[in-house]
Amino acid sequence: MNAHIPSRKFGLAVAQIGGIDLADSRASVVRRLLDMLREAHGRGAGFVVFPELALTTFFPRYWMPLEDVEARYFEKKMPNADVQPLFDEARRLGVGFYLGYAELTPEGKRYNTSILVDKSANIVGKYRKIHLPGHDDHKAGAPFQHLEKKYFDVGEDTWKVWNMDGIRTGMCLCNDRRWPETWRVMGLQSAELIVLGYNTPAHNIHWPEPVHLRMQSHLLSMQSGAYQNCVWAAAAGKTGFEDGFHLIGGSVIVSPAGEIVAQAATEEDEVITATIDLAMGENFRKNIFDFARHRRPEHYRLIVDRVGAGEAI
Ligand code: CDV
C-alpha cells in the first residue's frame, strides 16, 4: 500500500437483514444473525456489522402506549437469553460484532443503543444514539410514524473510539451518519474504522422525496464521512419490507478514499465482505487530512456556538 506504512489487513463483514415483521420472535431473528455470522466467518471475516434495532421490527413507525413499547421491544439486559447464542457462537468462532438494539436501563431510560463486541465476546463499547430523527407527536395524515423522539432518550455520551481487537473503532447509529460532526468527533480520536447500523424508510413522510435520492444521500454520507476522516466505514441496513413498509438497502463497506469496496445487491439477508487494509487510512491521516497541520479550529467556533442556522456573522 505504502512503502513507509506496513499493511494491516483485516477481514470485515456487513450483515444486512431483510426485514423483520411484528410477529417475528427474537429467537427467529437471532437464528438469522447466527447464519450470517457463520457465513461471514467462512468468508474470512473477523468482525461483523449488524443493523440498528436488529432484534425487532422498526417499531418507531407505530404509535403505541409507552408501557407496551417497553415491554415488547426493549432489552433489559445484554446479553439476554435470546441473544446469548450469538455471543456464544461469536466466541467460538473468534469473530467480533456490532449490534443495535433498544435498551431499557434500570433507571427507566430508553436508548437506541449499539454495542461493540470483541472476538472473545466481551462488550468493549456501548453507544447511545444522539441524533434522534422524527417526531414525538402523532402525525395523523402520515402513512407511518417516525417516533424516535417519543420512544428514546438522547444519549448522554459523545461518540467514542475503542480498541477493538487492536483496531481503533468508533460507532454511531443511522441518522448520525448524515451529520459531519459525528464523523469528525471520532476522526479527531484517530478512529481507523467507524461502524453503524441503519433503518432508512424508502419513503420520506415529510415531503415527496424521490426514492432514489434516499439511497443517494445514504451513500453520499458514508463516502464523504469516510473520506474526510480517513476511516474505513461500514454500514448495515435493515432492508426490504417489514409488514409492507419498505426500507432501503445499500449496505456498504467504504474505504478511506471514499470508495465503495463492497455493496449489498439485494434487500434480503445478505453478507458482504472486504479485506480492508488499515494502513490506507494512515496515508490520508499523514497527508491531505493531517488534522494537526491543516485544521483551523479558530474559524470553526460557530459550529459549536450556534445550533440552528441564523443570521450571517
Ligand atoms: N433510523 C433513522 O435514523 N432513520 C433516518 C430516517 C428517518 C431518515 C435516517 O437518517 O436514515
Side-chain angles (χ1 to χ4, degrees):
M1 182 87 252
N2 181 309
H4 309 292
I5 303 172
S7 282
R8 279 170 59 221
K9 297 210 172 151
F10 181 74
L12 180 64
V14 167
Q16 74 171 23
I17 308 181
I20 300 171
D21 288 337
L22 275 167
D24 292 343
S25 67
R26 295 238 199 341
S28 72
V29 174
V30 170
R31 279 196 292 276
R32 291 163 67 181
L33 301 183
L34 279 168
D35 284 347
M36 292 198 283
L37 184 82
R38 292 183 188 117
E39 181 180 342
H41 173 256
R43 287 164 60 179
F47 186 83
V48 184
V49 185
F50 292 117
E52 173 192 44
L53 299 175
L55 302 173
T56 66
T57 197
F58 189 69
F59 63 86
R61 76 168 65 89
Y62 302 106
W63 180 267
M64 289 174 285
L66 270 178
E67 315 79 73
D68 293 0
V69 174
E70 284 185 3
R72 288 180 66 179
Y73 302 110
F74 279 76
E75 314 302 319
K76 286 99 198 162
K77 196 166 166 272
M78 186 56 63
N80 53 38
D82 287 318
V83 189
Q84 190 62 50
L86 189 65
F87 279 72
D88 293 343
E89 189 66 351
R91 184 183 301 108
R92 191 182 76 78
L93 298 174
V95 176
F97 63 90
Y98 162 108
L99 180 76
Y101 64 98
E103 176 192 12
L104 179 64
T105 72
E107 297 76 35
K109 295 277 225 170
R110 293 181 304 272
Y111 296 108
N112 187 341
T113 294
S114 61
I115 48 171
L116 195 58
V117 179
D118 70 12
K119 64 180 183 196
S120 307
N122 300 309
I123 298 177
V124 294
K126 179 183 273 192
Y127 168 70
R128 290 163 169 165
K129 190 172 179 181
I130 292 172
H131 293 114
L132 296 174
H135 48 97
D136 60 7
D137 57 333
H138 184 258
K139 301 272 178 227
F144 55 89
Q145 310 292 306
H146 197 109
L147 294 165
E148 288 196 59
K149 286 198 192 296
K150 173 176 160 75
Y151 295 148
F152 299 117
D153 295 296
V154 175
E156 284 97 4
D157 291 335
T158 189
W159 299 275
K160 293 188 181 158
V161 170
W162 292 272
N163 178 344
M164 193 277 301
D165 294 323
I167 301 172
R168 298 190 302 272
T169 308
M171 293 187 272
C172 64
L173 277 157
C174 196
N175 192 258
D176 287 323
R177 73 197 187 288
R178 302 182 191 274
W179 300 88
E181 294 86 350
T182 302
W183 298 87
R184 188 60 108 217
V185 168
M186 291 186 272
L188 283 167
Q189 298 170 71
S190 309
E192 298 177 295
L193 170 66
I194 292 179
V195 292
L196 64 103
Y198 61 95
N199 284 261
T200 300
H203 300 284
N204 186 334
I205 57 172
H206 303 290
W207 66 280
E209 183 179 9
V211 176
H212 75 278
L213 295 184
R214 303 286 272 179
M215 180 62 80
Q216 174 172 285
S217 63
H218 155 62
L219 296 177
L220 191 61
S221 301
M222 291 301 301
Q223 293 179 260
S224 55
Y227 170 65
Q228 291 171 347
N229 295 281
C230 320
V231 293
W232 284 91
K238 183 114 72 57
T239 80
F241 289 87
E242 295 193 323
D243 293 297
F245 296 100
H246 191 194
L247 299 158
I248 67 163
S251 298
V252 277
I253 299 175
V254 180
S255 83
E259 187 176 26
I260 294 172
V261 299
Q263 181 168 355
T266 71
E267 292 186 344
E268 293 162 13
D269 291 7
E270 182 179 342
V271 178
I272 57 170
T273 53
T275 301
I276 66 171
D277 187 352
L278 295 157
M280 190 177 189
E282 284 304 310
N283 287 318
F284 288 89
R285 254 188 296 282
K286 285 185 163 41
N287 294 289
I288 179 87
F289 292 126
D290 181 343
F291 289 167
R293 272 196 298 145
H294 305 308
R295 287 184 79 246
R296 293 284 170 246
E298 66 274 24
H299 294 294
Y300 308 156
R301 184 136 295 132
L302 202 60
I303 290 174
V304 286
D305 286 351
R306 194 181 273 186
V307 180
E311 302 283 310
I313 54 171

